[in-house]
PDB file of all heavy atoms in Angstrom:
ATOM      1  N   GLY A  50     -23.795 -94.311  15.045  1.00 91.00           N
ATOM      2  CA  GLY A  50     -24.137 -94.425  13.619  1.00 91.00           C
ATOM      3  C   GLY A  50     -25.507 -93.818  13.365  1.00 91.00           C
ATOM      4  O   GLY A  50     -25.714 -93.075  12.407  1.00 91.00           O
ATOM      5  N   ILE A  51     -26.467 -94.163  14.209  1.00 93.00           N
ATOM      6  CA  ILE A  51     -27.791 -93.534  14.132  1.00 93.00           C
ATOM      7  C   ILE A  51     -27.973 -92.733  15.412  1.00 93.00           C
ATOM      8  O   ILE A  51     -28.226 -93.310  16.470  1.00 93.00           O
ATOM      9  CB  ILE A  51     -28.911 -94.594  14.004  1.00 93.00           C
ATOM     10  CG1 ILE A  51     -28.695 -95.399  12.738  1.00 93.00           C
ATOM     11  CG2 ILE A  51     -30.291 -93.919  14.003  1.00 93.00           C
ATOM     12  CD1 ILE A  51     -29.655 -96.547  12.554  1.00 93.00           C
ATOM     13  N   PRO A  52     -27.790 -91.413  15.336  1.00 94.00           N
ATOM     14  CA  PRO A  52     -27.890 -90.611  16.565  1.00 94.00           C
ATOM     15  C   PRO A  52     -29.364 -90.399  16.941  1.00 94.00           C
ATOM     16  O   PRO A  52     -30.024 -89.514  16.417  1.00 94.00           O
ATOM     17  CB  PRO A  52     -27.203 -89.299  16.205  1.00 94.00           C
ATOM     18  CG  PRO A  52     -27.196 -89.242  14.718  1.00 94.00           C
ATOM     19  CD  PRO A  52     -27.474 -90.590  14.161  1.00 94.00           C
ATOM     20  N   PHE A  53     -29.872 -91.197  17.821  1.00 96.00           N
ATOM     21  CA  PHE A  53     -31.284 -91.114  18.217  1.00 96.00           C
ATOM     22  C   PHE A  53     -31.592 -89.774  18.884  1.00 96.00           C
ATOM     23  O   PHE A  53     -32.737 -89.354  18.923  1.00 96.00           O
ATOM     24  CB  PHE A  53     -31.657 -92.282  19.134  1.00 96.00           C
ATOM     25  CG  PHE A  53     -31.940 -93.549  18.383  1.00 96.00           C
ATOM     26  CD1 PHE A  53     -30.908 -94.345  17.931  1.00 96.00           C
ATOM     27  CD2 PHE A  53     -33.244 -93.937  18.111  1.00 96.00           C
ATOM     28  CE1 PHE A  53     -31.160 -95.504  17.217  1.00 96.00           C
ATOM     29  CE2 PHE A  53     -33.509 -95.090  17.393  1.00 96.00           C
ATOM     30  CZ  PHE A  53     -32.468 -95.876  16.948  1.00 96.00           C
ATOM     31  N   CYS A  54     -30.557 -89.126  19.429  1.00 96.00           N
ATOM     32  CA  CYS A  54     -30.775 -87.802  20.033  1.00 96.00           C
ATOM     33  C   CYS A  54     -31.346 -86.823  19.014  1.00 96.00           C
ATOM     34  O   CYS A  54     -32.146 -85.959  19.349  1.00 96.00           O
ATOM     35  CB  CYS A  54     -29.476 -87.273  20.638  1.00 96.00           C
ATOM     36  SG  CYS A  54     -28.072 -87.302  19.507  1.00 96.00           S
ATOM     37  N   HIS A  55     -30.964 -86.955  17.716  1.00 91.00           N
ATOM     38  CA  HIS A  55     -31.516 -86.078  16.673  1.00 91.00           C
ATOM     39  C   HIS A  55     -33.023 -86.246  16.618  1.00 91.00           C
ATOM     40  O   HIS A  55     -33.764 -85.296  16.437  1.00 91.00           O
ATOM     41  CB  HIS A  55     -30.983 -86.456  15.291  1.00 91.00           C
ATOM     42  CG  HIS A  55     -29.584 -86.010  15.034  1.00 91.00           C
ATOM     43  ND1 HIS A  55     -29.041 -86.020  13.780  1.00 91.00           N
ATOM     44  CD2 HIS A  55     -28.629 -85.553  15.862  1.00 91.00           C
ATOM     45  CE1 HIS A  55     -27.793 -85.583  13.834  1.00 91.00           C
ATOM     46  NE2 HIS A  55     -27.527 -85.301  15.094  1.00 91.00           N
ATOM     47  N   GLN A  56     -33.467 -87.494  16.717  1.00 89.00           N
ATOM     48  CA  GLN A  56     -34.896 -87.789  16.649  1.00 89.00           C
ATOM     49  C   GLN A  56     -35.611 -87.274  17.901  1.00 89.00           C
ATOM     50  O   GLN A  56     -36.717 -86.758  17.847  1.00 89.00           O
ATOM     51  CB  GLN A  56     -35.090 -89.311  16.523  1.00 89.00           C
ATOM     52  CG  GLN A  56     -36.519 -89.780  16.627  1.00 89.00           C
ATOM     53  CD  GLN A  56     -37.383 -89.270  15.483  1.00 89.00           C
ATOM     54  OE1 GLN A  56     -36.914 -89.093  14.366  1.00 89.00           O
ATOM     55  NE2 GLN A  56     -38.650 -89.012  15.783  1.00 89.00           N
ATOM     56  N   GLY A  57     -34.917 -87.372  19.042  1.00 93.00           N
ATOM     57  CA  GLY A  57     -35.519 -86.896  20.285  1.00 93.00           C
ATOM     58  C   GLY A  57     -35.718 -85.390  20.282  1.00 93.00           C
ATOM     59  O   GLY A  57     -36.653 -84.882  20.876  1.00 93.00           O
ATOM     60  N   CYS A  58     -34.837 -84.659  19.604  1.00 95.00           N
ATOM     61  CA  CYS A  58     -34.899 -83.196  19.621  1.00 95.00           C
ATOM     62  C   CYS A  58     -35.776 -82.681  18.481  1.00 95.00           C
ATOM     63  O   CYS A  58     -35.469 -82.917  17.314  1.00 95.00           O
ATOM     64  CB  CYS A  58     -33.487 -82.624  19.473  1.00 95.00           C
ATOM     65  SG  CYS A  58     -33.511 -80.821  19.386  1.00 95.00           S
ATOM     66  N   PRO A  59     -36.852 -81.937  18.797  1.00 95.00           N
ATOM     67  CA  PRO A  59     -37.708 -81.405  17.727  1.00 95.00           C
ATOM     68  C   PRO A  59     -36.955 -80.499  16.757  1.00 95.00           C
ATOM     69  O   PRO A  59     -37.366 -80.332  15.618  1.00 95.00           O
ATOM     70  CB  PRO A  59     -38.773 -80.612  18.494  1.00 95.00           C
ATOM     71  CG  PRO A  59     -38.803 -81.217  19.854  1.00 95.00           C
ATOM     72  CD  PRO A  59     -37.394 -81.658  20.136  1.00 95.00           C
ATOM     73  N   LEU A  60     -35.845 -79.918  17.212  1.00 96.00           N
ATOM     74  CA  LEU A  60     -35.066 -79.036  16.338  1.00 96.00           C
ATOM     75  C   LEU A  60     -34.085 -79.811  15.473  1.00 96.00           C
ATOM     76  O   LEU A  60     -33.465 -79.248  14.580  1.00 96.00           O
ATOM     77  CB  LEU A  60     -34.284 -78.033  17.196  1.00 96.00           C
ATOM     78  CG  LEU A  60     -35.109 -76.922  17.810  1.00 96.00           C
ATOM     79  CD1 LEU A  60     -34.381 -76.306  19.000  1.00 96.00           C
ATOM     80  CD2 LEU A  60     -35.423 -75.859  16.776  1.00 96.00           C
ATOM     81  N   GLY A  61     -33.913 -81.101  15.767  1.00 93.00           N
ATOM     82  CA  GLY A  61     -32.913 -81.883  15.039  1.00 93.00           C
ATOM     83  C   GLY A  61     -31.507 -81.379  15.314  1.00 93.00           C
ATOM     84  O   GLY A  61     -30.644 -81.375  14.427  1.00 93.00           O
ATOM     85  N   ASN A  62     -31.247 -80.930  16.543  1.00 94.00           N
ATOM     86  CA  ASN A  62     -29.912 -80.415  16.894  1.00 94.00           C
ATOM     87  C   ASN A  62     -28.819 -81.420  16.534  1.00 94.00           C
ATOM     88  O   ASN A  62     -28.987 -82.627  16.746  1.00 94.00           O
ATOM     89  CB  ASN A  62     -29.842 -80.126  18.399  1.00 94.00           C
ATOM     90  CG  ASN A  62     -30.392 -78.754  18.756  1.00 94.00           C
ATOM     91  OD1 ASN A  62     -30.570 -77.914  17.882  1.00 94.00           O
ATOM     92  ND2 ASN A  62     -30.642 -78.536  20.022  1.00 94.00           N
ATOM     93  N   LEU A  63     -27.700 -80.920  16.018  1.00 94.00           N
ATOM     94  CA  LEU A  63     -26.609 -81.785  15.530  1.00 94.00           C
ATOM     95  C   LEU A  63     -25.703 -82.152  16.714  1.00 94.00           C
ATOM     96  O   LEU A  63     -24.526 -81.778  16.770  1.00 94.00           O
ATOM     97  CB  LEU A  63     -25.830 -81.030  14.447  1.00 94.00           C
ATOM     98  CG  LEU A  63     -26.715 -80.538  13.284  1.00 94.00           C
ATOM     99  CD1 LEU A  63     -25.958 -79.535  12.420  1.00 94.00           C
ATOM    100  CD2 LEU A  63     -27.209 -81.719  12.456  1.00 94.00           C
ATOM    101  N   ILE A  64     -26.260 -82.887  17.633  1.00 96.00           N
ATOM    102  CA  ILE A  64     -25.650 -83.063  18.955  1.00 96.00           C
ATOM    103  C   ILE A  64     -24.251 -83.697  18.917  1.00 96.00           C
ATOM    104  O   ILE A  64     -23.313 -83.151  19.501  1.00 96.00           O
ATOM    105  CB  ILE A  64     -26.637 -83.822  19.867  1.00 96.00           C
ATOM    106  CG1 ILE A  64     -27.858 -82.924  20.106  1.00 96.00           C
ATOM    107  CG2 ILE A  64     -25.992 -84.255  21.180  1.00 96.00           C
ATOM    108  CD1 ILE A  64     -29.111 -83.636  20.580  1.00 96.00           C
ATOM    109  N   PRO A  65     -24.070 -84.832  18.224  1.00 96.00           N
ATOM    110  CA  PRO A  65     -22.713 -85.409  18.243  1.00 96.00           C
ATOM    111  C   PRO A  65     -21.669 -84.459  17.670  1.00 96.00           C
ATOM    112  O   PRO A  65     -20.526 -84.452  18.118  1.00 96.00           O
ATOM    113  CB  PRO A  65     -22.858 -86.665  17.374  1.00 96.00           C
ATOM    114  CG  PRO A  65     -24.323 -86.996  17.429  1.00 96.00           C
ATOM    115  CD  PRO A  65     -25.030 -85.684  17.513  1.00 96.00           C
ATOM    116  N   GLU A  66     -22.080 -83.632  16.700  1.00 96.00           N
ATOM    117  CA  GLU A  66     -21.096 -82.712  16.093  1.00 96.00           C
ATOM    118  C   GLU A  66     -20.610 -81.689  17.105  1.00 96.00           C
ATOM    119  O   GLU A  66     -19.424 -81.447  17.238  1.00 96.00           O
ATOM    120  CB  GLU A  66     -21.715 -82.001  14.882  1.00 96.00           C
ATOM    121  CG  GLU A  66     -21.978 -82.947  13.739  1.00 96.00           C
ATOM    122  CD  GLU A  66     -22.484 -82.236  12.492  1.00 96.00           C
ATOM    123  OE1 GLU A  66     -22.136 -81.060  12.284  1.00 96.00           O
ATOM    124  OE2 GLU A  66     -23.230 -82.871  11.733  1.00 96.00           O
ATOM    125  N   TRP A  67     -21.553 -81.046  17.835  1.00 95.00           N
ATOM    126  CA  TRP A  67     -21.037 -80.030  18.773  1.00 95.00           C
ATOM    127  C   TRP A  67     -20.466 -80.636  20.046  1.00 95.00           C
ATOM    128  O   TRP A  67     -19.621 -80.038  20.689  1.00 95.00           O
ATOM    129  CB  TRP A  67     -21.979 -78.866  19.014  1.00 95.00           C
ATOM    130  CG  TRP A  67     -23.458 -79.026  19.131  1.00 95.00           C
ATOM    131  CD1 TRP A  67     -24.361 -78.783  18.148  1.00 95.00           C
ATOM    132  CD2 TRP A  67     -24.224 -79.388  20.293  1.00 95.00           C
ATOM    133  NE1 TRP A  67     -25.647 -78.973  18.626  1.00 95.00           N
ATOM    134  CE2 TRP A  67     -25.591 -79.338  19.920  1.00 95.00           C
ATOM    135  CE3 TRP A  67     -23.916 -79.754  21.596  1.00 95.00           C
ATOM    136  CZ2 TRP A  67     -26.634 -79.645  20.810  1.00 95.00           C
ATOM    137  CZ3 TRP A  67     -24.944 -80.052  22.477  1.00 95.00           C
ATOM    138  CH2 TRP A  67     -26.280 -80.001  22.083  1.00 95.00           C
ATOM    139  N   ASN A  68     -20.877 -81.845  20.393  1.00 96.00           N
ATOM    140  CA  ASN A  68     -20.187 -82.515  21.509  1.00 96.00           C
ATOM    141  C   ASN A  68     -18.710 -82.696  21.163  1.00 96.00           C
ATOM    142  O   ASN A  68     -17.820 -82.431  21.975  1.00 96.00           O
ATOM    143  CB  ASN A  68     -20.819 -83.880  21.784  1.00 96.00           C
ATOM    144  CG  ASN A  68     -22.024 -83.794  22.716  1.00 96.00           C
ATOM    145  OD1 ASN A  68     -22.116 -82.896  23.541  1.00 96.00           O
ATOM    146  ND2 ASN A  68     -22.939 -84.735  22.597  1.00 96.00           N
ATOM    147  N   ASP A  69     -18.463 -83.142  19.929  1.00 96.00           N
ATOM    148  CA  ASP A  69     -17.090 -83.368  19.484  1.00 96.00           C
ATOM    149  C   ASP A  69     -16.292 -82.055  19.479  1.00 96.00           C
ATOM    150  O   ASP A  69     -15.158 -81.992  19.964  1.00 96.00           O
ATOM    151  CB  ASP A  69     -17.135 -83.978  18.073  1.00 96.00           C
ATOM    152  CG  ASP A  69     -15.752 -84.178  17.497  1.00 96.00           C
ATOM    153  OD1 ASP A  69     -14.889 -84.681  18.234  1.00 96.00           O
ATOM    154  OD2 ASP A  69     -15.537 -83.810  16.323  1.00 96.00           O
ATOM    155  N   LEU A  70     -16.920 -80.990  18.976  1.00 97.00           N
ATOM    156  CA  LEU A  70     -16.221 -79.703  18.881  1.00 97.00           C
ATOM    157  C   LEU A  70     -15.898 -79.143  20.268  1.00 97.00           C
ATOM    158  O   LEU A  70     -14.812 -78.602  20.495  1.00 97.00           O
ATOM    159  CB  LEU A  70     -17.065 -78.711  18.069  1.00 97.00           C
ATOM    160  CG  LEU A  70     -17.129 -79.057  16.568  1.00 97.00           C
ATOM    161  CD1 LEU A  70     -18.292 -78.331  15.889  1.00 97.00           C
ATOM    162  CD2 LEU A  70     -15.797 -78.711  15.883  1.00 97.00           C
ATOM    163  N   ILE A  71     -16.838 -79.290  21.200  1.00 97.00           N
ATOM    164  CA  ILE A  71     -16.571 -78.797  22.563  1.00 97.00           C
ATOM    165  C   ILE A  71     -15.480 -79.647  23.201  1.00 97.00           C
ATOM    166  O   ILE A  71     -14.562 -79.132  23.864  1.00 97.00           O
ATOM    167  CB  ILE A  71     -17.874 -78.796  23.405  1.00 97.00           C
ATOM    168  CG1 ILE A  71     -18.757 -77.627  22.991  1.00 97.00           C
ATOM    169  CG2 ILE A  71     -17.588 -78.766  24.910  1.00 97.00           C
ATOM    170  CD1 ILE A  71     -18.197 -76.239  23.298  1.00 97.00           C
TER     171      ILE A  71
END
Side-chain angles (χ1 to χ4, degrees):
I51 299 175
F53 279 80
C54 52
H55 284 193
Q56 172 65 32
C58 177
L60 286 160
N62 276 345
L63 304 167
I64 294 161
E66 292 185 29
W67 39 260
N68 274 332
D69 177 45
L70 289 163
I71 284 294

